Amino acid sequence: LRMALTEMICCAQKIPVYHEQALPDVNNQKFKLTFPRWNQAFGTKVYRNNKLVESSYEINYFKGTILFDNPLSSFDMVHSDYNFRWFEDEQLDRFLQNAVSIVNFYPPQSGHNILSLPDVYIPLVLYGAAKDAIRELLMCLNFQQPQQVFGGMEAAQKAFGNMETLKKNYEEEFTRLLEQKKFGKYPKVR
């Protein structure tokens, strides 16, 4: 479910960052970049003094840090190209669980969780989780730093409009599917 949700909100889970300057620690050995949760498959590039470096360092993809084997000079500049995920796995799980709870509330009421969810409700849960994830991202776009990720205030406003349309489509599909749930199987009564 988490992978399917990631595909539905892929614009938030595959965000590229180009040539960001890293901040060194006091020893000039560990360098931190703005965003954690890097996607390894997109080929991170590390530059030292604007020259591509291909060895003598280790990347922590979860924290968004680069650790060099030896301390660098205080005059060295480190930059990186990377691709990151906006949402943590725990956030995606929360969106999914909230959607399952809403599905359980509508008739016929049920007590499903993510692990016991019948296949017939999977699209419904995915649409519910995706609309909540996009809603949170839209809220974040009201602030300066997330706007910079999307290219500044004007580009963020354009992205906001596009994502608002996508969220509305997901909400409509979620509502339509919830209305159809009442025509499903009801539990037998003794």
Side-chain angles (χ1 to χ4, degrees):
L1 285 175
R2 191 187 297 153
M3 288 304 297
L5 176 57
T6 296
E7 289 303 315
M8 291 182 79
I9 59 169
C10 66
C11 62
Q13 295 298 86
K14 298 175 184 173
I15 300 174
V17 176
Y18 300 107
H19 208 66
E20 179 185 342
Q21 184 175 344
L23 298 174
D25 65 0
V26 294
N27 300 323
N28 284 332
Q29 188 168 6
K30 186 175 188 179
F31 289 77
K32 181 171 177 27
L33 289 109
T34 304
F35 297 98
R37 299 177 298 281
W38 293 5
N39 294 311
Q40 295 182 37
F42 287 91
T44 300
K45 292 182 181 174
V46 176
Y47 302 91
R48 179 179 174 189
N49 300 325
N50 291 323
K51 293 181 182 176
L52 186 63
V53 180
E54 296 183 0
S55 62
S56 302
Y57 64 87
E58 182 179 312
I59 297 174
N60 184 324
Y61 290 93
F62 296 106
K63 293 182 179 180
T65 59
I66 302 167
L67 177 65
F68 284 88
D69 293 345
N70 298 306
L72 303 183
S73 159
S74 60
F75 299 104
D76 285 327
M77 300 282 285
V78 175
H79 292 80
S80 182
D81 298 340
Y82 61 97
N83 186 296
F84 76 99
R85 298 177 303 126
W86 192 268
F87 296 110
E88 298 174 6
D89 289 344
E90 292 80 14
Q91 289 174 290
L92 296 178
D93 291 345
R94 174 52 43 206
F95 296 140
L96 289 165
Q97 187 55 52
N98 287 345
V100 169
S101 296
I102 292 170
V103 169
N104 285 338
F105 179 75
Y106 277 75
Q109 290 185 343
S110 53
H112 301 297
N113 61 39
I114 291 178
L115 299 175
S116 68
L117 187 68
D119 289 347
V120 69
Y121 294 140
I122 288 176
L124 178 58
V125 167
L126 288 174
Y127 279 112
K131 73 171 179 62
D132 286 348
I134 293 172
R135 181 182 297 142
E136 182 170 322
L137 183 57
L138 290 174
M139 180 64 183
C140 292
L141 284 180
N142 289 305
F143 300 99
Q144 184 178 8
Q145 187 177 16
Q147 288 175 353
Q148 295 306 317
V149 171
F150 288 88
M153 188 183 336
E154 291 178 19
Q157 288 174 344
K158 184 177 178 183
F160 186 98
N162 292 336
M163 284 187 265
E164 179 69 30
T165 302
L166 180 62
K167 180 182 73 74
K168 184 178 178 184
N169 291 340
Y170 284 169
E171 286 173 334
E172 289 172 0
E173 190 67 18
F174 182 64
T175 302
R176 190 179 66 75
L177 290 170
L178 274 178
E179 290 170 359
Q180 295 300 311
K181 186 177 182 244
K182 64 186 171 193
F183 298 117
K185 289 183 179 181
Y186 282 77
K188 293 182 179 181
V189 189
R190 293 182 189 227

